[in-house]
């Protein structure tokens, strides 16, 4: 074992010296390699972190949401229907929710207007007060104590004093949020007192969520019951779809790199071939040469991989992924601004390594094997 | 002792441009002697050297080292024999460009993985023997022809082989450097090494240190005392 290790140390030593001797050629390849891993790593790290973030955000959402349907379209929920659901055993905190979208022509952004839950006293608002998301504050250049002016589609005017701005840590869900009092909301959107956007329910036993949703569907046949698990699946599908789209676009870049790596490796220079011949002539075995070249390829690919992943990590978790956020993060001009919690999925890092390191080593191995198998007497001729 | 029995080497065998570089050669090389293969270009000297040094396999015939046949051994074993039994000094030195003289001398020892302190001591000993101690840290590209050759000989000796094989060792050297090379050969012989060289150079054939001159022409031995 010690002899094997000592031999590998000599081979690594030679491989490192060999890389240094051809540093200009290798540096170019290394930089392209780092760039590829950086962008692929950014997409993968961002995708997994944002899915996790969405999961955390949904943890605070209701167990079941009931939406009234009419002709296959979302309709208003009624006070009388809320009363019917309250008779279901196992469900509590049943309340009608009020929320809706407002397109703000001044900033060309969509806001989500919402009335805070009656079960969240910290967010209780009086008429004329609002709590806003950080995206709205940023876009409208607002701070606490100042006023937000909104105009409804029916040209109704609403003046709100900013009581609080929601922290950026919750910006994925709240960036475009404007929390207002129920009175203001109904007046602004001209909503009747018994109308609600939908109905939220909490279920005491998590194992009973589907059963309660099923019972609710029996009680209110024209309602659609959405569980938190299915919302989570929708979020995951959305971010996975975006990530997949971007990865599909990057397949071209990966192929280009594979071709470049193969071209570099198969185009062994005359000097490199001669060097291999010399090493064989002075007693190196074919396997020694292949191992040495594998060390060379491993040093390039592993350092490029580590550098690329480290850069991707910094890009995603320290800088909030400015290069890819436009595709992966938001859905309007009001992109949420938040810092993702650092999270590394070992399986995804392994997948990234498999997609980048393994093809590179495979691409260099075949031409090296051919050159190393040549007769050593070539150096004498 | 190295014995060759009816050794032939064909290149491009079976093609219309087949070449018989060596034909039916029988030769016995004694230990601790200096033997020179002489002959014109294309006479088969270098090919015979590569076969004896296990760099190439004969197309037919047998090569024996101390009675053991080498002809049928797999490449892995031949590499081991090359490493331990033979040291090579090539006509164009074949040093690895970009590495220092020190690194070049060490190279044949890498697969044997000796302790680095022992290897370094051995490099310094050989460099001292051949007068290149002060050039060890220079890249071989910056050495003179004579220095390159001495580094190449030092490299050939790093694994302490029994047999030194040198192909046209004085082809690129002036008279002074050729005389220095013959001094090196005398040193090697005094240390009990067997030396086998090819040469066009009468300064080599006629040197006092040479024990035997084998003359070749058209792939055959035409004169061997």
């Amino acid at each position: 074992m010690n002899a094997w290790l000592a031999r590998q140390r000599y081979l690594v030593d030679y491989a490192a010296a060999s890389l240094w001797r051809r540093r200009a050629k290798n540096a170019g390849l290394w930089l392209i390699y780092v760039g590829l891993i950086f962008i692929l790593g950014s997409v993968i790290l961002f995708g997994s972190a944002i899915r996790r973030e969405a999961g955390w955000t949904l943890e605070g959402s209701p167990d079941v949401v009931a939406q009234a349907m009419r002709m296959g379209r979302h309709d208003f929920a009624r006070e009388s229907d809320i009363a019917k659901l309250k008779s279901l055993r196992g469900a509590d905190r049943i309340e009608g929710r009020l929320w809706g979208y407002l397109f703000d022509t001044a900033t060309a952004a969509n806001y989500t207007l919402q009335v805070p839950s009656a079960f969240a006293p910290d967010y209780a608002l009086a008429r004329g007060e609002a709590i806003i998301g950080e995206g709205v504050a940023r876009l409208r250049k607002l701070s606490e104590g100042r006023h937000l002016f909104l105009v409804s589609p029916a040209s109704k005017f609403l003046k709100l004093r900013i009581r609080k701005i929601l922290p950026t840590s919750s910006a994925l869900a709240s960036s475009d949020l404007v929390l207002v009092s129920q009175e203001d909301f109904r007046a602004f959107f001209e909503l009747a007192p018994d109308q609600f956007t939908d109905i939220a329910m909490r279920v005491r036993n998590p194992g009973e969520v589907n059963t309660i949703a099923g019972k609710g569907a029996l009680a209110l046949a024209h309602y659609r019951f959405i569980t938190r698990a299915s919302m989570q699946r929708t979020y995951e599908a959305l971010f996975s779809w975006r990530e997949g789209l971007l990865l599909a676009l990057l397949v071209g870049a990966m192929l280009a790199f594979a071709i470049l790596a193969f071209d570099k490796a198969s185009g062994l220079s005359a000097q490199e071939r001669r060097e291999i011949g010399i090493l064989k002539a002075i007693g190196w075995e074919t396997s020694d040469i292949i191992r040495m070249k594998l060390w060379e390829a491993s040093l390039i690919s592993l350092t490029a991989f580590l550098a690329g992943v480290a850069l991707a990590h910094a890009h995603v978790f320290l800088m909030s992924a400015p290069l890819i956020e436009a595709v992966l993060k938001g859905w309007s001009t009001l992109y949420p601004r938040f810092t993702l919690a650092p999270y590394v999925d070992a399986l995804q890092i392994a997948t990234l390594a498999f997609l980048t390191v393994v093809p590179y080593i495979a691409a260099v191995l075949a031409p090296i094997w051919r050159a190393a198998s040549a007769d050593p007497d070539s150096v004498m001729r | 002792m190295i014995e060759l029995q009816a050794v032939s080497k064909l290149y491009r065998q079976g093609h219309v441009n087949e070449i018989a570089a060596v034909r039916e050669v029988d030769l016995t090389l004694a230990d601790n002697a200096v033997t020179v293969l002489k002959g014109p270009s294309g006479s088969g000297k270098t090919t015979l050297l590569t076969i004896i040094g296990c760099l190439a396999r004969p197309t037919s015939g047998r090569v024996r080292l101390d009675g053991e046949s080498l002809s049928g051994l797999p490449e892995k074993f031949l590499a081991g024999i090359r490493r331990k039994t033979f040291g090579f000094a090539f006509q164009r030195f074949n040093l690895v460009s970009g590495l220092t003289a020190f690194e070049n001398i060490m190279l044949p020892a890498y697969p044997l993985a000796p302790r680095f302190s022992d290897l370094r001591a051995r490099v310094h000993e050989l460099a001292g023997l051949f007068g290149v101690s002060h050039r060890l840290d220079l890249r071989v590209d910056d050495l003179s022809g004579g220095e390159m050759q001495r580094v190449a000989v030092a490299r050939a000796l790093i694994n302490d082989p029994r047999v030194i094989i040198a192909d046209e060792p004085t082809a690129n050297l002036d008279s002074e450097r050729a005389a220095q090379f013959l001094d090196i050969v005398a040193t090697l012989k005094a240390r009990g090494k067997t030396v086998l060289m090819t040469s066009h150079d009468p300064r080599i054939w006629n040197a006092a240190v040479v024990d035997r001159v084998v003359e070749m022409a058209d792939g055959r031995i035409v004169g061997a005392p």
Side-chain angles (χ1 to χ4, degrees):
Chain A
M1 187 62 185
N2 282 344
W4 184 88
L5 273 179
R7 195 169 179 158
Q8 299 311 309
R9 275 181 54 193
Y10 277 112
L11 294 179
V12 170
D13 188 47
Y14 187 88
S18 177
L19 287 174
W20 180 246
R21 277 183 291 140
R22 299 182 188 90
R23 53 189 172 275
K25 172 185 164 183
N26 290 321
L29 180 71
W30 190 83
L31 286 174
I32 295 170
Y33 204 164
V34 169
L36 179 78
I37 290 167
F38 164 71
I39 198 77
L40 285 174
S42 293
V43 173
I44 288 176
L45 286 177
F46 191 92
S48 60
I50 205 167
R51 277 194 296 273
R52 217 164 98 102
E53 197 86 19
W56 284 337
T57 305
L58 284 172
E59 272 177 17
S61 64
D63 293 322
V64 181
V65 171
Q67 291 180 337
M69 305 296 289
R70 177 184 286 185
M71 295 181 295
R73 310 279 295 179
H74 187 186
D75 191 18
F76 289 115
R78 303 286 165 179
E79 185 83 65
S80 54
D81 296 332
I82 297 173
K84 284 182 189 167
L85 290 179
K86 282 184 175 168
S87 65
L88 290 176
R89 292 181 67 182
D92 67 358
R93 291 192 175 189
I94 299 167
E95 63 172 340
R97 296 196 307 181
L98 287 166
W99 58 269
Y101 299 122
L102 175 71
F103 181 70
D104 180 40
T105 47
T107 52
N110 263 314
Y111 301 156
T112 303
L113 265 67
Q114 189 173 347
V115 174
S117 164
F119 301 105
D122 292 350
Y123 293 94
L125 291 165
R127 282 200 82 151
E129 279 187 339
I131 294 173
I132 59 173
E134 69 83 31
V136 180
R138 179 160 33 95
L139 207 61
R140 299 286 285 257
K141 298 183 174 60
L142 292 172
S143 55
E144 286 176 18
R146 298 188 64 181
H147 287 93
L148 167 68
F149 298 96
L150 299 175
V151 182
S152 79
S155 299
K156 279 208 163 199
F157 189 72
L158 183 61
K159 179 185 175 187
L160 298 162
R161 192 180 64 80
I162 310 300
R163 206 183 84 190
K164 187 179 171 188
I165 295 170
L166 292 167
T168 54
S169 58
S170 65
L172 177 67
S174 68
S175 174
D176 65 345
L177 201 59
V178 178
L179 294 178
V180 297
S181 67
Q182 183 166 166
E183 295 81 355
D184 284 335
F185 189 93
R186 289 191 183 281
F188 188 67
F189 286 116
E190 297 175 345
L191 222 56
D194 72 328
Q195 288 181 323
F196 293 89
T197 311
D198 54 24
I199 303 166
M201 296 168 26
R202 204 161 277 276
V203 178
R204 281 192 288 270
N205 178 358
E208 290 291 309
V209 170
N210 286 330
T211 312
I212 301 286
K215 284 181 182 172
L218 284 175
L220 298 172
H222 61 296
Y223 271 71
R224 175 172 65 179
F225 286 79
I226 306 161
T227 63
R228 189 166 58 205
S230 65
M231 278 189 272
Q232 174 123 25
R233 280 197 298 274
T234 308
Y235 265 104
E236 287 196 357
L238 171 73
F239 291 122
S240 298
W241 179 81
R242 290 175 180 211
E243 184 185 342
L245 182 73
L246 205 55
L247 286 177
L249 290 173
L250 288 171
V251 163
M254 288 163 68
L255 274 177
F257 177 73
I259 292 166
L260 175 79
F262 186 77
D263 184 54
K264 284 266 178 195
S266 58
L268 280 179
S269 65
Q271 191 196 355
E272 283 173 283
R273 285 177 191 281
R274 181 171 164 271
E275 199 174 303
I276 289 173
I278 292 170
L279 294 176
K280 286 202 75 174
I282 62 177
W284 285 41
E285 292 170 19
T286 303
S287 59
D288 291 326
I289 290 164
I290 291 174
R291 277 198 200 104
M292 182 270 288
K293 288 289 180 185
L294 274 179
W295 277 118
E296 248 186 64
S298 302
L299 286 174
I300 286 187
S301 54
L302 289 178
T303 54
F305 183 77
L306 290 177
V309 169
L311 285 174
H313 197 272
H315 174 228
V316 170
F317 297 119
L318 298 181
M319 298 162 66
S320 293
L323 295 179
I324 55 170
E325 68 172 354
V327 184
L328 286 178
K329 211 191 243 179
W331 40 77
S332 75
T333 51
L334 238 186
Y335 291 121
R337 182 172 292 176
F338 60 96
T339 307
L340 286 164
Y343 171 68
V344 177
D345 183 338
L347 181 67
Q348 287 191 317
I349 294 295
T351 307
L352 182 62
F354 187 78
L355 286 175
T356 53
V357 175
V358 174
Y360 177 76
I361 292 180
V364 299
L365 195 58
I368 297 297
W369 182 80
R370 273 205 307 276
S373 307
D375 278 342
D377 65 334
S378 55
V379 291
M380 298 283 273
R381 286 189 252 125
Chain B
M1 192 164 69
I2 300 167
E3 297 164 274
L4 282 74
Q5 201 174 33
V7 166
S8 295
K9 178 70 177 177
L10 304 178
Y11 288 108
R12 296 188 285 275
Q13 191 178 9
H15 293 79
V16 284
N17 54 352
E18 179 179 289
I19 293 171
V22 172
R23 303 164 199 243
E24 298 288 324
V25 166
D26 295 305
L27 184 66
T28 301
L29 300 170
D31 288 338
N32 193 22
V34 177
T35 306
V36 176
L37 301 177
K38 80 166 190 178
S41 292
S43 59
K45 308 184 296 292
T46 299
T47 303
L48 196 60
L49 215 56
T50 61
I51 291 170
I52 294 169
C54 299
L55 291 170
R57 295 168 192 277
T59 308
S60 61
R62 283 187 183 281
V63 180
R64 286 198 172 88
L65 176 69
D66 298 332
E68 297 272 340
S69 175
L70 305 179
S71 310
L73 289 177
E75 165 58 26
K76 186 179 170 69
F77 290 92
L78 289 181
I81 290 168
R82 274 203 299 280
R83 199 160 52 218
K84 289 178 184 155
T85 309
F86 298 102
F88 296 91
F90 304 100
Q91 183 178 352
R92 274 166 286 172
F93 315 129
N94 280 336
L95 298 170
V96 175
S97 173
L99 294 183
T100 62
F102 183 81
E103 290 164 331
N104 263 283
I105 295 172
M106 288 195 299
L107 278 182
Y110 279 13
L112 296 171
R115 277 161 53 109
F116 184 71
S117 53
D118 296 344
L119 183 56
R120 185 172 48 198
R122 176 107 181 110
V123 172
H124 282 290
E125 181 200 338
L126 289 168
L129 183 66
F130 298 120
V132 287
S133 293
H134 61 300
R135 312 298 270 171
L136 282 178
D137 293 333
L138 288 183
R139 295 190 332 154
V140 289
D141 316 70
D142 299 329
L143 300 179
S144 70
E147 286 167 340
M148 278 199 232
Q149 186 181 55
R150 281 178 279 159
V151 168
V153 175
R155 183 180 69 179
L157 292 172
I158 191 70
N159 288 340
D160 197 22
R162 281 168 45 198
V163 183
I164 311 300
I165 289 180
D167 187 29
E168 300 284 359
T170 55
N172 300 311
L173 302 184
D174 60 22
S175 299
E176 192 185 343
R177 300 288 175 212
Q180 283 178 0
F181 177 75
L182 287 169
D183 289 342
I184 291 173
V185 173
T187 308
L188 296 176
K189 186 179 174 185
R191 290 177 159 233
K193 307 292 181 194
T194 303
V195 180
L196 178 62
M197 297 183 277
T198 64
S199 186
H200 279 103
D201 189 346
R203 292 173 299 186
I204 297 287
W205 315 332
N206 299 324
V209 72
V210 173
D211 297 301
R212 187 181 178 201
V213 176
V214 176
E215 192 169 354
M216 294 188 71
D218 297 328
R220 297 179 198 281
I221 291 177
V222 291

PDB file of all heavy atoms in Angstrom, chain A residues 336-352:
ATOM      1  N   PRO A 336     -38.802  39.245  -6.625  1.00  0.00           N
ATOM      2  CA  PRO A 336     -38.507  39.270  -5.192  1.00  0.00           C
ATOM      3  C   PRO A 336     -37.003  39.459  -4.998  1.00  0.00           C
ATOM      4  O   PRO A 336     -36.208  38.912  -5.759  1.00  0.00           O
ATOM      5  CB  PRO A 336     -38.934  37.879  -4.702  1.00  0.00           C
ATOM      6  CG  PRO A 336     -39.617  37.224  -5.832  1.00  0.00           C
ATOM      7  CD  PRO A 336     -39.262  37.940  -7.075  1.00  0.00           C
ATOM      8  N   ARG A 337     -36.631  40.259  -4.016  1.00  0.00           N
ATOM      9  CA  ARG A 337     -35.215  40.395  -3.692  1.00  0.00           C
ATOM     10  C   ARG A 337     -35.002  39.752  -2.341  1.00  0.00           C
ATOM     11  O   ARG A 337     -35.508  40.230  -1.332  1.00  0.00           O
ATOM     12  CB  ARG A 337     -34.832  41.875  -3.653  1.00  0.00           C
ATOM     13  CG  ARG A 337     -33.350  42.094  -3.354  1.00  0.00           C
ATOM     14  CD  ARG A 337     -32.982  43.536  -3.522  1.00  0.00           C
ATOM     15  NE  ARG A 337     -33.049  43.941  -4.905  1.00  0.00           N
ATOM     16  CZ  ARG A 337     -32.852  45.196  -5.313  1.00  0.00           C
ATOM     17  NH1 ARG A 337     -32.569  46.135  -4.451  1.00  0.00           N
ATOM     18  NH2 ARG A 337     -32.915  45.497  -6.596  1.00  0.00           N
ATOM     19  N   PHE A 338     -34.280  38.667  -2.296  1.00  0.00           N
ATOM     20  CA  PHE A 338     -34.044  37.988  -1.020  1.00  0.00           C
ATOM     21  C   PHE A 338     -32.796  37.136  -1.161  1.00  0.00           C
ATOM     22  O   PHE A 338     -32.354  36.817  -2.257  1.00  0.00           O
ATOM     23  CB  PHE A 338     -35.231  37.106  -0.638  1.00  0.00           C
ATOM     24  CG  PHE A 338     -35.544  36.036  -1.637  1.00  0.00           C
ATOM     25  CD1 PHE A 338     -35.054  34.765  -1.479  1.00  0.00           C
ATOM     26  CD2 PHE A 338     -36.343  36.320  -2.751  1.00  0.00           C
ATOM     27  CE1 PHE A 338     -35.347  33.782  -2.416  1.00  0.00           C
ATOM     28  CE2 PHE A 338     -36.641  35.345  -3.666  1.00  0.00           C
ATOM     29  CZ  PHE A 338     -36.138  34.071  -3.511  1.00  0.00           C
ATOM     30  N   THR A 339     -32.232  36.811  -0.034  1.00  0.00           N
ATOM     31  CA  THR A 339     -31.050  35.951  -0.019  1.00  0.00           C
ATOM     32  C   THR A 339     -31.492  34.547   0.347  1.00  0.00           C
ATOM     33  O   THR A 339     -32.121  34.355   1.381  1.00  0.00           O
ATOM     34  CB  THR A 339     -30.038  36.473   1.015  1.00  0.00           C
ATOM     35  OG1 THR A 339     -29.820  37.848   0.727  1.00  0.00           O
ATOM     36  CG2 THR A 339     -28.720  35.730   0.915  1.00  0.00           C
ATOM     37  N   LEU A 340     -31.182  33.596  -0.518  1.00  0.00           N
ATOM     38  CA  LEU A 340     -31.579  32.215  -0.250  1.00  0.00           C
ATOM     39  C   LEU A 340     -30.722  31.655   0.875  1.00  0.00           C
ATOM     40  O   LEU A 340     -29.543  31.987   0.988  1.00  0.00           O
ATOM     41  CB  LEU A 340     -31.363  31.366  -1.505  1.00  0.00           C
ATOM     42  CG  LEU A 340     -32.355  31.577  -2.638  1.00  0.00           C
ATOM     43  CD1 LEU A 340     -31.805  30.988  -3.909  1.00  0.00           C
ATOM     44  CD2 LEU A 340     -33.687  30.944  -2.297  1.00  0.00           C
ATOM     45  N   ALA A 341     -31.346  30.808   1.700  1.00  0.00           N
ATOM     46  CA  ALA A 341     -30.563  30.156   2.748  1.00  0.00           C
ATOM     47  C   ALA A 341     -29.613  29.163   2.077  1.00  0.00           C
ATOM     48  O   ALA A 341     -30.050  28.381   1.243  1.00  0.00           O
ATOM     49  CB  ALA A 341     -31.499  29.429   3.692  1.00  0.00           C
ATOM     50  N   PRO A 342     -28.313  29.213   2.431  1.00  0.00           N
ATOM     51  CA  PRO A 342     -27.377  28.272   1.797  1.00  0.00           C
ATOM     52  C   PRO A 342     -27.823  26.837   2.017  1.00  0.00           C
ATOM     53  O   PRO A 342     -28.108  26.436   3.139  1.00  0.00           O
ATOM     54  CB  PRO A 342     -26.054  28.550   2.510  1.00  0.00           C
ATOM     55  CG  PRO A 342     -26.194  29.933   3.016  1.00  0.00           C
ATOM     56  CD  PRO A 342     -27.639  30.112   3.348  1.00  0.00           C
ATOM     57  N   TYR A 343     -27.897  26.119   0.948  1.00  0.00           N
ATOM     58  CA  TYR A 343     -28.343  24.735   1.029  1.00  0.00           C
ATOM     59  C   TYR A 343     -27.692  23.972  -0.119  1.00  0.00           C
ATOM     60  O   TYR A 343     -27.737  24.412  -1.261  1.00  0.00           O
ATOM     61  CB  TYR A 343     -29.869  24.675   0.905  1.00  0.00           C
ATOM     62  CG  TYR A 343     -30.410  23.276   0.753  1.00  0.00           C
ATOM     63  CD1 TYR A 343     -30.319  22.378   1.813  1.00  0.00           C
ATOM     64  CD2 TYR A 343     -30.993  22.849  -0.435  1.00  0.00           C
ATOM     65  CE1 TYR A 343     -30.801  21.094   1.684  1.00  0.00           C
ATOM     66  CE2 TYR A 343     -31.488  21.563  -0.569  1.00  0.00           C
ATOM     67  CZ  TYR A 343     -31.394  20.698   0.492  1.00  0.00           C
ATOM     68  OH  TYR A 343     -31.862  19.429   0.364  1.00  0.00           O
ATOM     69  N   VAL A 344     -27.040  22.888   0.229  1.00  0.00           N
ATOM     70  CA  VAL A 344     -26.376  22.102  -0.801  1.00  0.00           C
ATOM     71  C   VAL A 344     -26.927  20.689  -0.758  1.00  0.00           C
ATOM     72  O   VAL A 344     -26.896  20.031   0.285  1.00  0.00           O
ATOM     73  CB  VAL A 344     -24.846  22.094  -0.584  1.00  0.00           C
ATOM     74  CG1 VAL A 344     -24.176  21.210  -1.617  1.00  0.00           C
ATOM     75  CG2 VAL A 344     -24.299  23.510  -0.666  1.00  0.00           C
ATOM     76  N   ASP A 345     -27.457  20.260  -1.874  1.00  0.00           N
ATOM     77  CA  ASP A 345     -27.985  18.907  -1.986  1.00  0.00           C
ATOM     78  C   ASP A 345     -26.860  18.023  -2.543  1.00  0.00           C
ATOM     79  O   ASP A 345     -26.440  18.199  -3.686  1.00  0.00           O
ATOM     80  CB  ASP A 345     -29.189  18.940  -2.943  1.00  0.00           C
ATOM     81  CG  ASP A 345     -29.856  17.579  -3.055  1.00  0.00           C
ATOM     82  OD1 ASP A 345     -29.183  16.577  -2.756  1.00  0.00           O
ATOM     83  OD2 ASP A 345     -31.026  17.528  -3.454  1.00  0.00           O
ATOM     84  N   ALA A 346     -26.372  17.097  -1.713  1.00  0.00           N
ATOM     85  CA  ALA A 346     -25.217  16.276  -2.094  1.00  0.00           C
ATOM     86  C   ALA A 346     -25.497  15.501  -3.385  1.00  0.00           C
ATOM     87  O   ALA A 346     -24.614  15.356  -4.239  1.00  0.00           O
ATOM     88  CB  ALA A 346     -24.874  15.311  -0.967  1.00  0.00           C
ATOM     89  N   LEU A 347     -26.733  15.033  -3.538  1.00  0.00           N
ATOM     90  CA  LEU A 347     -27.064  14.252  -4.736  1.00  0.00           C
ATOM     91  C   LEU A 347     -26.944  15.123  -5.989  1.00  0.00           C
ATOM     92  O   LEU A 347     -26.447  14.677  -7.030  1.00  0.00           O
ATOM     93  CB  LEU A 347     -28.484  13.691  -4.611  1.00  0.00           C
ATOM     94  CG  LEU A 347     -28.945  12.834  -5.790  1.00  0.00           C
ATOM     95  CD1 LEU A 347     -28.117  11.538  -5.846  1.00  0.00           C
ATOM     96  CD2 LEU A 347     -30.419  12.501  -5.690  1.00  0.00           C
ATOM     97  N   GLN A 348     -27.368  16.374  -5.858  1.00  0.00           N
ATOM     98  CA  GLN A 348     -27.301  17.249  -7.036  1.00  0.00           C
ATOM     99  C   GLN A 348     -25.867  17.637  -7.370  1.00  0.00           C
ATOM    100  O   GLN A 348     -25.504  17.772  -8.535  1.00  0.00           O
ATOM    101  CB  GLN A 348     -28.158  18.489  -6.797  1.00  0.00           C
ATOM    102  CG  GLN A 348     -29.632  18.116  -6.879  1.00  0.00           C
ATOM    103  CD  GLN A 348     -30.521  19.313  -6.916  1.00  0.00           C
ATOM    104  OE1 GLN A 348     -30.301  20.242  -6.181  1.00  0.00           O
ATOM    105  NE2 GLN A 348     -31.524  19.293  -7.765  1.00  0.00           N
ATOM    106  N   ILE A 349     -25.039  17.809  -6.330  1.00  0.00           N
ATOM    107  CA  ILE A 349     -23.621  18.097  -6.577  1.00  0.00           C
ATOM    108  C   ILE A 349     -22.978  16.885  -7.251  1.00  0.00           C
ATOM    109  O   ILE A 349     -22.191  17.014  -8.191  1.00  0.00           O
ATOM    110  CB  ILE A 349     -22.892  18.434  -5.249  1.00  0.00           C
ATOM    111  CG1 ILE A 349     -23.451  19.747  -4.694  1.00  0.00           C
ATOM    112  CG2 ILE A 349     -21.402  18.538  -5.450  1.00  0.00           C
ATOM    113  CD1 ILE A 349     -23.189  20.975  -5.535  1.00  0.00           C
ATOM    114  N   ALA A 350     -23.355  15.688  -6.777  1.00  0.00           N
ATOM    115  CA  ALA A 350     -22.829  14.463  -7.392  1.00  0.00           C
ATOM    116  C   ALA A 350     -23.284  14.378  -8.852  1.00  0.00           C
ATOM    117  O   ALA A 350     -22.520  13.977  -9.734  1.00  0.00           O
ATOM    118  CB  ALA A 350     -23.299  13.244  -6.604  1.00  0.00           C
ATOM    119  N   THR A 351     -24.528  14.769  -9.113  1.00  0.00           N
ATOM    120  CA  THR A 351     -25.038  14.757 -10.491  1.00  0.00           C
ATOM    121  C   THR A 351     -24.240  15.724 -11.361  1.00  0.00           C
ATOM    122  O   THR A 351     -23.857  15.399 -12.489  1.00  0.00           O
ATOM    123  CB  THR A 351     -26.534  15.178 -10.505  1.00  0.00           C
ATOM    124  OG1 THR A 351     -27.229  14.351  -9.596  1.00  0.00           O
ATOM    125  CG2 THR A 351     -27.123  15.042 -11.888  1.00  0.00           C
ATOM    126  N   LEU A 352     -23.973  16.912 -10.800  1.00  0.00           N
ATOM    127  CA  LEU A 352     -23.195  17.912 -11.545  1.00  0.00           C
ATOM    128  C   LEU A 352     -21.796  17.364 -11.858  1.00  0.00           C
ATOM    129  O   LEU A 352     -21.293  17.518 -12.980  1.00  0.00           O
ATOM    130  CB  LEU A 352     -23.103  19.198 -10.725  1.00  0.00           C
ATOM    131  CG  LEU A 352     -22.362  20.361 -11.363  1.00  0.00           C
ATOM    132  CD1 LEU A 352     -23.056  20.800 -12.645  1.00  0.00           C
ATOM    133  CD2 LEU A 352     -22.274  21.539 -10.403  1.00  0.00           C
TER     134      LEU A 352
END
